[in-house]
Amino acid sequence: MCDSEIVPAYVVSTFVMNGFSILQQRADPIYSKPLHVSGLTWRLKVYPVLHIILSSRVLVVKVVMVIVAVVVVAVVVVVVVVVVVAVVVVAVVVVVLVVVVVVVVVVVVVVVVAVVVVAVVVVVLVVVVVVVVVVVVVVVVVILVVVVVVVVVVVVVVVVVVVVVVVGRCHSSSSSSPK
């Protein structure tokens, strides 16, 4: 026996086909019992039909590796890949939803701030206009009061002057008349 990294140790097993003549009539392949070597499972696949090659009768035998373990590993790999892809898709969808929610919140905040700023500006403008109108009205009223006072003073002065003049004439005419 040779045992190295390149040529593994030989494993021997016997496969006996009982009733070979009957098996030949069916022509179905026959499988041996599994042979387990280094974690792999092997079986012989025998076609019981004899072939004549160069005047010799030959029995066709194929060695078949049973790939149940490989299929299980492949299925596990596929399931893991599908789960990973599903997790990635869910993560991407969650990230996209979070980004959309953040964008919507930012837009709403910006709109609310803009509305509040516009409302404050409008209120300030209204207050300024009201103050200006009140100041103008007060100034106009003060001017009117001053004008009325001046007119009243002028009228009073004129009346006093007229009274003084009239009384002075009356007084001078009464002193010049004979007693």
Side-chain angles (χ1 to χ4, degrees):
M1 274 198 178
C2 178
D3 189 13
S4 73
E5 291 180 10
I6 298 173
V7 179
Y10 295 107
V11 177
V12 179
S13 179
T14 304
F15 175 45
V16 178
M17 290 188 291
N18 295 322
F20 185 73
S21 315
I22 296 169
L23 295 174
Q24 272 186 316
Q25 292 172 0
R26 288 196 219 150
D28 293 330
I30 302 158
Y31 292 93
S32 70
K33 291 183 180 177
L35 175 65
H36 303 287
V37 179
S38 300
L40 298 174
T41 303
W42 299 87
R43 295 177 82 178
L44 289 179
K45 182 178 183 181
V46 179
Y47 295 92
V49 178
L50 294 175
H51 296 282
I52 299 176
I53 299 176
L54 299 175
S55 301
S56 300
R57 292 172 60 175
V58 178
L59 180 64
V60 177
V61 177
K62 293 184 179 179
V63 178
V64 178
M65 180 176 62
V66 179
I67 56 171
V68 172
V70 175
V71 169
V72 168
V73 170
V75 168
V76 168
V77 167
V78 167
V79 167
V80 167
V81 167
V82 167
V83 167
V84 167
V85 167
V87 167
V88 168
V89 166
V90 167
V92 167
V93 167
V94 167
V95 167
V96 167
L97 287 176
V98 167
V99 167
V100 166
V101 166
V102 167
V103 167
V104 167
V105 167
V106 167
V107 166
V108 167
V109 167
V110 166
V111 167
V112 167
V113 168
V115 167
V116 168
V117 167
V118 167
V120 168
V121 168
V122 167
V123 167
V124 168
L125 287 175
V126 167
V127 168
V128 166
V129 167
V130 167
V131 167
V132 167
V133 167
V134 167
V135 167
V136 167
V137 166
V138 167
V139 168
V140 167
V141 166
V142 167
I143 291 172
L144 286 175
V145 167
V146 168
V147 167
V148 167
V149 167
V150 168
V151 167
V152 167
V153 168
V154 168
V155 168
V156 167
V157 168
V158 168
V159 167
V160 168
V161 168
V162 168
V163 167
V164 167
V165 169
V166 169
V167 167
R169 279 193 192 165
C170 286
H171 190 38
S172 62
S173 23
S174 60
S175 26
S176 59
S177 29
K179 289 189 181 186

Short mmCIF file of all heavy atoms in Angstrom, two decimals, residues 16-80:
data_model
loop_
_atom_site.label_atom_id
_atom_site.label_comp_id
_atom_site.label_asym_id
_atom_site.label_seq_id
_atom_site.Cartn_x
_atom_site.Cartn_y
_atom_site.Cartn_z
N VAL A 16 -20.20 -8.43 -4.65
CA VAL A 16 -20.60 -9.70 -5.28
C VAL A 16 -21.98 -9.51 -5.86
O VAL A 16 -22.89 -9.01 -5.20
CB VAL A 16 -20.60 -10.85 -4.24
CG1 VAL A 16 -21.07 -12.15 -4.89
CG2 VAL A 16 -19.25 -11.01 -3.62
N MET A 17 -22.12 -9.89 -7.15
CA MET A 17 -23.43 -9.81 -7.80
C MET A 17 -23.98 -11.23 -7.90
O MET A 17 -23.49 -12.04 -8.68
CB MET A 17 -23.31 -9.19 -9.20
CG MET A 17 -23.00 -7.73 -9.18
SD MET A 17 -23.09 -6.98 -10.82
CE MET A 17 -21.71 -7.72 -11.64
N ASN A 18 -24.97 -11.51 -7.11
CA ASN A 18 -25.62 -12.82 -7.15
C ASN A 18 -26.69 -12.81 -8.23
O ASN A 18 -27.36 -11.80 -8.44
CB ASN A 18 -26.24 -13.16 -5.80
CG ASN A 18 -25.18 -13.30 -4.73
OD1 ASN A 18 -24.11 -13.83 -5.00
ND2 ASN A 18 -25.47 -12.82 -3.53
N GLY A 19 -26.87 -13.89 -8.93
CA GLY A 19 -27.89 -14.01 -9.97
C GLY A 19 -27.56 -13.15 -11.18
O GLY A 19 -28.42 -12.44 -11.69
N PHE A 20 -26.32 -13.24 -11.63
CA PHE A 20 -25.85 -12.37 -12.72
C PHE A 20 -26.67 -12.58 -14.00
O PHE A 20 -26.97 -11.63 -14.70
CB PHE A 20 -24.36 -12.63 -12.99
CG PHE A 20 -23.78 -11.71 -14.02
CD1 PHE A 20 -23.54 -10.38 -13.72
CD2 PHE A 20 -23.49 -12.17 -15.30
CE1 PHE A 20 -23.01 -9.52 -14.67
CE2 PHE A 20 -22.97 -11.31 -16.25
CZ PHE A 20 -22.72 -9.98 -15.92
N SER A 21 -27.09 -13.80 -14.30
CA SER A 21 -27.86 -14.07 -15.53
C SER A 21 -29.20 -13.35 -15.49
O SER A 21 -29.65 -12.80 -16.50
CB SER A 21 -28.12 -15.57 -15.69
OG SER A 21 -27.00 -16.31 -15.45
N ILE A 22 -29.83 -13.35 -14.35
CA ILE A 22 -31.12 -12.68 -14.22
C ILE A 22 -30.92 -11.16 -14.34
O ILE A 22 -31.69 -10.47 -14.99
CB ILE A 22 -31.79 -13.04 -12.88
CG1 ILE A 22 -32.09 -14.52 -12.85
CG2 ILE A 22 -33.05 -12.22 -12.65
CD1 ILE A 22 -32.51 -15.05 -11.49
N LEU A 23 -29.84 -10.66 -13.73
CA LEU A 23 -29.54 -9.23 -13.79
C LEU A 23 -29.26 -8.81 -15.23
O LEU A 23 -29.60 -7.70 -15.63
CB LEU A 23 -28.36 -8.89 -12.89
CG LEU A 23 -28.59 -9.09 -11.38
CD1 LEU A 23 -27.28 -8.87 -10.62
CD2 LEU A 23 -29.68 -8.17 -10.88
N GLN A 24 -28.66 -9.68 -16.03
CA GLN A 24 -28.36 -9.36 -17.43
C GLN A 24 -29.64 -9.17 -18.22
O GLN A 24 -29.70 -8.35 -19.13
CB GLN A 24 -27.54 -10.50 -18.07
CG GLN A 24 -26.08 -10.35 -17.90
CD GLN A 24 -25.35 -11.44 -18.68
OE1 GLN A 24 -25.74 -12.62 -18.65
NE2 GLN A 24 -24.30 -11.06 -19.35
N GLN A 25 -30.66 -9.90 -17.91
CA GLN A 25 -31.91 -9.82 -18.67
C GLN A 25 -32.61 -8.48 -18.40
O GLN A 25 -33.27 -7.94 -19.27
CB GLN A 25 -32.83 -10.99 -18.27
CG GLN A 25 -32.30 -12.32 -18.73
CD GLN A 25 -33.11 -13.48 -18.17
OE1 GLN A 25 -34.08 -13.31 -17.44
NE2 GLN A 25 -32.70 -14.71 -18.52
N ARG A 26 -32.47 -7.94 -17.21
CA ARG A 26 -33.11 -6.66 -16.88
C ARG A 26 -32.37 -5.49 -17.53
O ARG A 26 -32.98 -4.50 -17.87
CB ARG A 26 -33.13 -6.44 -15.37
CG ARG A 26 -34.13 -7.33 -14.68
CD ARG A 26 -34.37 -6.79 -13.28
NE ARG A 26 -34.49 -7.92 -12.37
CZ ARG A 26 -34.15 -7.91 -11.11
NH1 ARG A 26 -33.65 -6.84 -10.59
NH2 ARG A 26 -34.32 -8.96 -10.36
N ALA A 27 -31.09 -5.54 -17.62
CA ALA A 27 -30.24 -4.52 -18.23
C ALA A 27 -30.21 -3.21 -17.45
O ALA A 27 -29.75 -2.19 -17.96
CB ALA A 27 -30.64 -4.26 -19.68
N ASP A 28 -30.70 -3.23 -16.23
CA ASP A 28 -30.63 -2.03 -15.38
C ASP A 28 -29.28 -2.00 -14.67
O ASP A 28 -28.74 -3.05 -14.31
CB ASP A 28 -31.74 -2.05 -14.32
CG ASP A 28 -33.13 -1.92 -14.93
OD1 ASP A 28 -33.22 -1.28 -16.00
OD2 ASP A 28 -34.08 -2.46 -14.35
N PRO A 29 -28.74 -0.80 -14.43
CA PRO A 29 -27.49 -0.76 -13.69
C PRO A 29 -27.70 -1.20 -12.24
O PRO A 29 -28.76 -1.03 -11.67
CB PRO A 29 -27.07 0.71 -13.76
CG PRO A 29 -28.31 1.45 -14.09
CD PRO A 29 -29.21 0.52 -14.82
N ILE A 30 -26.65 -1.78 -11.67
CA ILE A 30 -26.70 -2.27 -10.30
C ILE A 30 -25.67 -1.49 -9.50
O ILE A 30 -24.54 -1.27 -9.96
CB ILE A 30 -26.38 -3.78 -10.26
CG1 ILE A 30 -27.37 -4.52 -11.15
CG2 ILE A 30 -26.42 -4.31 -8.84
CD1 ILE A 30 -26.87 -5.84 -11.62
N TYR A 31 -26.04 -1.07 -8.28
CA TYR A 31 -25.16 -0.27 -7.43
C TYR A 31 -24.67 -1.13 -6.27
O TYR A 31 -25.42 -1.90 -5.66
CB TYR A 31 -25.87 0.96 -6.88
CG TYR A 31 -26.21 1.97 -7.96
CD1 TYR A 31 -27.43 1.95 -8.60
CD2 TYR A 31 -25.28 2.92 -8.32
CE1 TYR A 31 -27.73 2.87 -9.58
CE2 TYR A 31 -25.58 3.86 -9.31
CZ TYR A 31 -26.80 3.83 -9.93
OH TYR A 31 -27.10 4.75 -10.90
N SER A 32 -23.41 -0.95 -5.92
CA SER A 32 -22.85 -1.65 -4.77
C SER A 32 -23.27 -0.95 -3.49
O SER A 32 -23.83 0.15 -3.52
CB SER A 32 -21.33 -1.67 -4.87
OG SER A 32 -20.82 -0.35 -4.68
N LYS A 33 -22.91 -1.59 -2.36
CA LYS A 33 -23.13 -0.93 -1.08
C LYS A 33 -22.12 0.22 -0.98
O LYS A 33 -21.04 0.16 -1.55
CB LYS A 33 -22.93 -1.92 0.07
CG LYS A 33 -24.02 -2.97 0.11
CD LYS A 33 -23.82 -3.88 1.30
CE LYS A 33 -24.94 -4.91 1.30
NZ LYS A 33 -24.78 -5.88 2.38
N PRO A 34 -22.46 1.32 -0.23
CA PRO A 34 -21.55 2.46 -0.13
C PRO A 34 -20.23 2.07 0.55
O PRO A 34 -20.18 1.26 1.46
CB PRO A 34 -22.31 3.46 0.74
CG PRO A 34 -23.73 3.02 0.72
CD PRO A 34 -23.72 1.54 0.47
N LEU A 35 -19.15 2.71 0.06
CA LEU A 35 -17.82 2.56 0.64
C LEU A 35 -17.39 3.96 1.08
O LEU A 35 -17.29 4.88 0.27
CB LEU A 35 -16.85 1.99 -0.40
CG LEU A 35 -15.39 1.89 0.02
CD1 LEU A 35 -15.24 0.89 1.16
CD2 LEU A 35 -14.53 1.47 -1.16
N HIS A 36 -17.11 4.11 2.37
CA HIS A 36 -16.78 5.43 2.91
C HIS A 36 -15.26 5.54 3.03
O HIS A 36 -14.63 4.76 3.73
CB HIS A 36 -17.44 5.61 4.28
CG HIS A 36 -18.92 5.46 4.25
ND1 HIS A 36 -19.75 6.39 3.70
CD2 HIS A 36 -19.72 4.44 4.67
CE1 HIS A 36 -21.01 5.99 3.79
NE2 HIS A 36 -21.01 4.79 4.37
N VAL A 37 -14.71 6.57 2.36
CA VAL A 37 -13.26 6.79 2.37
C VAL A 37 -12.99 8.28 2.51
O VAL A 37 -13.46 9.07 1.68
CB VAL A 37 -12.60 6.26 1.09
CG1 VAL A 37 -11.10 6.51 1.10
CG2 VAL A 37 -12.91 4.79 0.88
N SER A 38 -12.27 8.70 3.54
CA SER A 38 -11.84 10.09 3.75
C SER A 38 -13.00 11.07 3.65
O SER A 38 -12.92 12.12 3.03
CB SER A 38 -10.76 10.48 2.74
OG SER A 38 -9.63 9.63 2.87
N GLY A 39 -14.12 10.73 4.23
CA GLY A 39 -15.26 11.63 4.25
C GLY A 39 -16.11 11.59 3.00
O GLY A 39 -17.10 12.29 2.90
N LEU A 40 -15.72 10.77 2.01
CA LEU A 40 -16.50 10.65 0.78
C LEU A 40 -17.14 9.27 0.73
O LEU A 40 -16.63 8.30 1.31
CB LEU A 40 -15.62 10.85 -0.46
CG LEU A 40 -14.97 12.23 -0.59
CD1 LEU A 40 -14.03 12.24 -1.78
CD2 LEU A 40 -16.03 13.30 -0.75
N THR A 41 -18.25 9.18 0.01
CA THR A 41 -18.94 7.90 -0.14
C THR A 41 -18.88 7.50 -1.61
O THR A 41 -19.23 8.29 -2.49
CB THR A 41 -20.41 8.03 0.31
OG1 THR A 41 -20.41 8.48 1.67
CG2 THR A 41 -21.14 6.73 0.21
N TRP A 42 -18.43 6.28 -1.84
CA TRP A 42 -18.28 5.76 -3.20
C TRP A 42 -19.15 4.53 -3.38
O TRP A 42 -19.38 3.78 -2.45
CB TRP A 42 -16.82 5.36 -3.49
CG TRP A 42 -15.86 6.50 -3.37
CD1 TRP A 42 -15.24 6.94 -2.25
CD2 TRP A 42 -15.44 7.35 -4.42
NE1 TRP A 42 -14.45 8.01 -2.52
CE2 TRP A 42 -14.55 8.29 -3.87
CE3 TRP A 42 -15.71 7.42 -5.80
CZ2 TRP A 42 -13.93 9.26 -4.61
CZ3 TRP A 42 -15.09 8.39 -6.54
CH2 TRP A 42 -14.22 9.31 -5.96
N ARG A 43 -19.62 4.32 -4.66
CA ARG A 43 -20.38 3.11 -5.02
C ARG A 43 -19.95 2.68 -6.41
O ARG A 43 -19.56 3.50 -7.22
CB ARG A 43 -21.88 3.39 -5.01
CG ARG A 43 -22.41 3.73 -3.63
CD ARG A 43 -23.86 4.07 -3.66
NE ARG A 43 -24.63 2.82 -3.66
CZ ARG A 43 -25.95 2.79 -3.65
NH1 ARG A 43 -26.64 3.91 -3.69
NH2 ARG A 43 -26.59 1.66 -3.63
N LEU A 44 -20.05 1.40 -6.68
CA LEU A 44 -19.82 0.90 -8.03
C LEU A 44 -21.14 0.88 -8.75
O LEU A 44 -22.17 0.50 -8.20
CB LEU A 44 -19.24 -0.52 -8.00
CG LEU A 44 -17.81 -0.66 -7.53
CD1 LEU A 44 -17.42 -2.13 -7.54
CD2 LEU A 44 -16.86 0.12 -8.40
N LYS A 45 -21.12 1.28 -10.01
CA LYS A 45 -22.31 1.22 -10.87
C LYS A 45 -21.96 0.22 -11.97
O LYS A 45 -21.11 0.49 -12.82
CB LYS A 45 -22.61 2.60 -11.44
CG LYS A 45 -23.85 2.65 -12.30
CD LYS A 45 -24.08 4.09 -12.79
CE LYS A 45 -25.34 4.22 -13.59
NZ LYS A 45 -25.54 5.60 -14.08
N VAL A 46 -22.64 -0.90 -11.96
CA VAL A 46 -22.30 -1.99 -12.88
C VAL A 46 -23.45 -2.20 -13.86
O VAL A 46 -24.61 -2.31 -13.46
CB VAL A 46 -22.03 -3.31 -12.12
CG1 VAL A 46 -21.71 -4.44 -13.09
CG2 VAL A 46 -20.94 -3.12 -11.10
N TYR A 47 -23.07 -2.21 -15.16
CA TYR A 47 -24.04 -2.54 -16.21
C TYR A 47 -23.85 -4.03 -16.52
O TYR A 47 -22.82 -4.44 -17.05
CB TYR A 47 -23.79 -1.69 -17.46
CG TYR A 47 -24.03 -0.21 -17.22
CD1 TYR A 47 -23.00 0.63 -16.82
CD2 TYR A 47 -25.30 0.32 -17.38
CE1 TYR A 47 -23.21 1.97 -16.59
CE2 TYR A 47 -25.52 1.67 -17.16
CZ TYR A 47 -24.47 2.49 -16.76
OH TYR A 47 -24.70 3.82 -16.53
N PRO A 48 -24.83 -4.89 -16.20
CA PRO A 48 -24.62 -6.34 -16.33
C PRO A 48 -24.62 -6.87 -17.77
O PRO A 48 -24.49 -8.06 -17.99
CB PRO A 48 -25.77 -6.94 -15.53
CG PRO A 48 -26.83 -5.90 -15.53
CD PRO A 48 -26.12 -4.57 -15.62
N VAL A 49 -24.71 -6.00 -18.74
CA VAL A 49 -24.71 -6.43 -20.14
C VAL A 49 -23.25 -6.60 -20.55
O VAL A 49 -22.43 -5.69 -20.38
CB VAL A 49 -25.42 -5.39 -21.03
CG1 VAL A 49 -25.37 -5.82 -22.49
CG2 VAL A 49 -26.84 -5.19 -20.57
N LEU A 50 -22.93 -7.76 -21.12
CA LEU A 50 -21.57 -8.00 -21.59
C LEU A 50 -21.42 -7.43 -22.99
O LEU A 50 -22.27 -7.61 -23.84
CB LEU A 50 -21.26 -9.50 -21.58
CG LEU A 50 -21.22 -10.15 -20.20
CD1 LEU A 50 -21.04 -11.65 -20.35
CD2 LEU A 50 -20.10 -9.56 -19.39
N HIS A 51 -20.35 -6.69 -23.20
CA HIS A 51 -20.07 -6.13 -24.51
C HIS A 51 -18.92 -6.93 -25.12
O HIS A 51 -17.98 -7.31 -24.44
CB HIS A 51 -19.65 -4.65 -24.37
CG HIS A 51 -20.75 -3.78 -23.84
ND1 HIS A 51 -21.78 -3.35 -24.60
CD2 HIS A 51 -21.00 -3.31 -22.58
CE1 HIS A 51 -22.60 -2.60 -23.87
NE2 HIS A 51 -22.14 -2.58 -22.62
N ILE A 52 -19.04 -7.09 -26.42
CA ILE A 52 -17.97 -7.80 -27.10
C ILE A 52 -17.06 -6.75 -27.73
O ILE A 52 -17.48 -5.98 -28.58
CB ILE A 52 -18.51 -8.77 -28.16
CG1 ILE A 52 -19.40 -9.81 -27.49
CG2 ILE A 52 -17.38 -9.43 -28.94
CD1 ILE A 52 -20.08 -10.76 -28.43
N ILE A 53 -15.82 -6.70 -27.25
CA ILE A 53 -14.84 -5.75 -27.77
C ILE A 53 -13.62 -6.56 -28.17
O ILE A 53 -13.01 -7.26 -27.34
CB ILE A 53 -14.46 -4.71 -26.71
CG1 ILE A 53 -15.70 -3.91 -26.31
CG2 ILE A 53 -13.37 -3.79 -27.23
CD1 ILE A 53 -15.47 -2.93 -25.21
N LEU A 54 -13.27 -6.50 -29.46
CA LEU A 54 -12.12 -7.23 -30.00
C LEU A 54 -12.16 -8.70 -29.60
O LEU A 54 -11.21 -9.26 -29.07
CB LEU A 54 -10.81 -6.60 -29.55
CG LEU A 54 -10.57 -5.15 -30.00
CD1 LEU A 54 -9.31 -4.62 -29.37
CD2 LEU A 54 -10.50 -5.07 -31.51
N SER A 55 -13.29 -9.37 -29.84
CA SER A 55 -13.51 -10.79 -29.58
C SER A 55 -13.43 -11.13 -28.10
O SER A 55 -13.21 -12.28 -27.73
CB SER A 55 -12.49 -11.65 -30.35
OG SER A 55 -12.60 -11.41 -31.72
N SER A 56 -13.55 -10.16 -27.20
CA SER A 56 -13.55 -10.42 -25.76
C SER A 56 -14.87 -9.95 -25.18
O SER A 56 -15.47 -8.99 -25.66
CB SER A 56 -12.42 -9.66 -25.08
OG SER A 56 -11.19 -10.05 -25.59
N ARG A 57 -15.27 -10.65 -24.17
CA ARG A 57 -16.49 -10.23 -23.49
C ARG A 57 -16.07 -9.33 -22.32
O ARG A 57 -15.25 -9.71 -21.48
CB ARG A 57 -17.24 -11.45 -22.99
CG ARG A 57 -17.78 -12.25 -24.18
CD ARG A 57 -18.36 -13.54 -23.79
NE ARG A 57 -19.48 -13.37 -22.89
CZ ARG A 57 -20.23 -14.35 -22.46
NH1 ARG A 57 -20.00 -15.56 -22.84
NH2 ARG A 57 -21.21 -14.13 -21.63
N VAL A 58 -16.64 -8.10 -22.29
CA VAL A 58 -16.23 -7.10 -21.30
C VAL A 58 -17.46 -6.69 -20.48
O VAL A 58 -18.54 -6.48 -21.00
CB VAL A 58 -15.63 -5.86 -22.00
CG1 VAL A 58 -15.26 -4.80 -20.99
CG2 VAL A 58 -14.45 -6.25 -22.83
N LEU A 59 -17.24 -6.58 -19.20
CA LEU A 59 -18.28 -6.08 -18.29
C LEU A 59 -17.96 -4.61 -18.00
O LEU A 59 -16.86 -4.28 -17.59
CB LEU A 59 -18.25 -6.89 -16.98
CG LEU A 59 -19.28 -6.49 -15.94
CD1 LEU A 59 -20.69 -6.75 -16.46
CD2 LEU A 59 -19.04 -7.28 -14.66
N VAL A 60 -18.95 -3.71 -18.23
CA VAL A 60 -18.73 -2.28 -18.01
C VAL A 60 -19.04 -1.95 -16.56
O VAL A 60 -20.12 -2.23 -16.05
CB VAL A 60 -19.63 -1.43 -18.95
CG1 VAL A 60 -19.45 0.05 -18.66
CG2 VAL A 60 -19.32 -1.75 -20.39
N VAL A 61 -18.04 -1.38 -15.87
CA VAL A 61 -18.18 -1.00 -14.46
C VAL A 61 -17.75 0.46 -14.34
O VAL A 61 -16.71 0.85 -14.86
CB VAL A 61 -17.29 -1.88 -13.56
CG1 VAL A 61 -17.40 -1.42 -12.11
CG2 VAL A 61 -17.68 -3.34 -13.70
N LYS A 62 -18.54 1.25 -13.65
CA LYS A 62 -18.18 2.66 -13.42
C LYS A 62 -18.13 2.90 -11.92
O LYS A 62 -18.91 2.33 -11.17
CB LYS A 62 -19.22 3.60 -14.04
CG LYS A 62 -19.23 3.54 -15.55
CD LYS A 62 -20.21 4.56 -16.10
CE LYS A 62 -20.18 4.51 -17.62
NZ LYS A 62 -21.13 5.43 -18.21
N VAL A 63 -17.19 3.72 -11.51
CA VAL A 63 -17.10 4.10 -10.11
C VAL A 63 -17.86 5.42 -9.96
O VAL A 63 -17.63 6.37 -10.70
CB VAL A 63 -15.63 4.27 -9.68
CG1 VAL A 63 -15.56 4.74 -8.23
CG2 VAL A 63 -14.88 2.97 -9.86
N VAL A 64 -18.78 5.45 -9.05
CA VAL A 64 -19.62 6.62 -8.86
C VAL A 64 -19.42 7.13 -7.42
O VAL A 64 -19.49 6.34 -6.47
CB VAL A 64 -21.11 6.28 -9.10
CG1 VAL A 64 -21.98 7.48 -8.85
CG2 VAL A 64 -21.31 5.73 -10.48
N MET A 65 -19.13 8.41 -7.29
CA MET A 65 -19.04 9.00 -5.96
C MET A 65 -20.43 9.46 -5.57
O MET A 65 -21.11 10.18 -6.31
CB MET A 65 -18.09 10.20 -5.95
CG MET A 65 -17.97 10.83 -4.58
SD MET A 65 -16.78 12.17 -4.46
CE MET A 65 -17.46 13.35 -5.58
N VAL A 66 -20.87 9.04 -4.42
CA VAL A 66 -22.18 9.46 -3.93
C VAL A 66 -22.02 10.88 -3.39
O VAL A 66 -21.21 11.12 -2.50
CB VAL A 66 -22.69 8.50 -2.84
CG1 VAL A 66 -24.04 8.96 -2.32
CG2 VAL A 66 -22.77 7.09 -3.39
N ILE A 67 -22.76 11.81 -3.96
CA ILE A 67 -22.55 13.23 -3.64
C ILE A 67 -23.62 13.79 -2.73
O ILE A 67 -23.94 14.95 -2.77
CB ILE A 67 -22.43 14.06 -4.93
CG1 ILE A 67 -23.66 13.86 -5.80
CG2 ILE A 67 -21.17 13.75 -5.67
CD1 ILE A 67 -23.74 14.80 -6.96
N VAL A 68 -24.14 12.92 -1.87
CA VAL A 68 -25.17 13.39 -0.95
C VAL A 68 -24.60 14.49 -0.06
O VAL A 68 -25.21 15.54 0.12
CB VAL A 68 -25.70 12.22 -0.10
CG1 VAL A 68 -26.63 12.71 0.98
CG2 VAL A 68 -26.38 11.21 -0.99
N ALA A 69 -23.41 14.28 0.48
CA ALA A 69 -22.81 15.29 1.35
C ALA A 69 -22.56 16.57 0.58
O ALA A 69 -22.80 17.67 1.08
CB ALA A 69 -21.52 14.76 1.94
N VAL A 70 -22.09 16.44 -0.67
CA VAL A 70 -21.84 17.63 -1.49
C VAL A 70 -23.14 18.37 -1.76
O VAL A 70 -23.21 19.60 -1.71
CB VAL A 70 -21.13 17.23 -2.80
CG1 VAL A 70 -20.98 18.43 -3.71
CG2 VAL A 70 -19.79 16.60 -2.49
N VAL A 71 -24.21 17.62 -2.04
CA VAL A 71 -25.51 18.26 -2.30
C VAL A 71 -25.99 18.98 -1.04
O VAL A 71 -26.50 20.09 -1.11
CB VAL A 71 -26.54 17.21 -2.78
CG1 VAL A 71 -27.94 17.79 -2.80
CG2 VAL A 71 -26.16 16.69 -4.15
N VAL A 72 -25.82 18.35 0.12
CA VAL A 72 -26.24 19.00 1.36
C VAL A 72 -25.46 20.28 1.57
O VAL A 72 -26.02 21.32 1.92
CB VAL A 72 -26.07 18.03 2.56
CG1 VAL A 72 -26.22 18.76 3.88
CG2 VAL A 72 -27.05 16.88 2.46
N VAL A 73 -24.14 20.23 1.36
CA VAL A 73 -23.32 21.43 1.49
C VAL A 73 -23.77 22.49 0.49
O VAL A 73 -23.88 23.67 0.83
CB VAL A 73 -21.82 21.10 1.32
CG1 VAL A 73 -21.00 22.36 1.21
CG2 VAL A 73 -21.34 20.24 2.48
N ALA A 74 -24.04 22.08 -0.75
CA ALA A 74 -24.50 23.03 -1.77
C ALA A 74 -25.82 23.66 -1.36
O ALA A 74 -26.02 24.87 -1.51
CB ALA A 74 -24.62 22.35 -3.12
N VAL A 75 -26.74 22.85 -0.84
CA VAL A 75 -28.04 23.38 -0.41
C VAL A 75 -27.84 24.36 0.74
O VAL A 75 -28.44 25.44 0.78
CB VAL A 75 -28.99 22.24 -0.01
CG1 VAL A 75 -30.21 22.76 0.72
CG2 VAL A 75 -29.41 21.45 -1.23
N VAL A 76 -26.95 24.01 1.70
CA VAL A 76 -26.68 24.91 2.82
C VAL A 76 -26.08 26.22 2.31
O VAL A 76 -26.47 27.31 2.75
CB VAL A 76 -25.75 24.23 3.85
CG1 VAL A 76 -25.22 25.23 4.87
CG2 VAL A 76 -26.48 23.09 4.54
N VAL A 77 -25.15 26.13 1.36
CA VAL A 77 -24.54 27.34 0.80
C VAL A 77 -25.60 28.19 0.11
O VAL A 77 -25.65 29.41 0.28
CB VAL A 77 -23.40 26.97 -0.17
CG1 VAL A 77 -22.97 28.17 -0.99
CG2 VAL A 77 -22.22 26.40 0.59
N VAL A 78 -26.48 27.54 -0.66
CA VAL A 78 -27.55 28.29 -1.35
C VAL A 78 -28.46 28.96 -0.34
O VAL A 78 -28.83 30.14 -0.48
CB VAL A 78 -28.34 27.37 -2.30
CG1 VAL A 78 -29.62 28.04 -2.78
CG2 VAL A 78 -27.48 26.96 -3.49
N VAL A 79 -28.83 28.23 0.72
CA VAL A 79 -29.70 28.81 1.75
C VAL A 79 -29.01 29.98 2.43
O VAL A 79 -29.62 31.03 2.64
CB VAL A 79 -30.12 27.72 2.78
CG1 VAL A 79 -30.76 28.35 4.00
CG2 VAL A 79 -31.06 26.73 2.14
N VAL A 80 -27.73 29.82 2.75
CA VAL A 80 -26.99 30.91 3.39
C VAL A 80 -26.93 32.12 2.46
O VAL A 80 -27.13 33.26 2.89
CB VAL A 80 -25.57 30.45 3.80
CG1 VAL A 80 -24.69 31.62 4.17
CG2 VAL A 80 -25.66 29.46 4.95
#
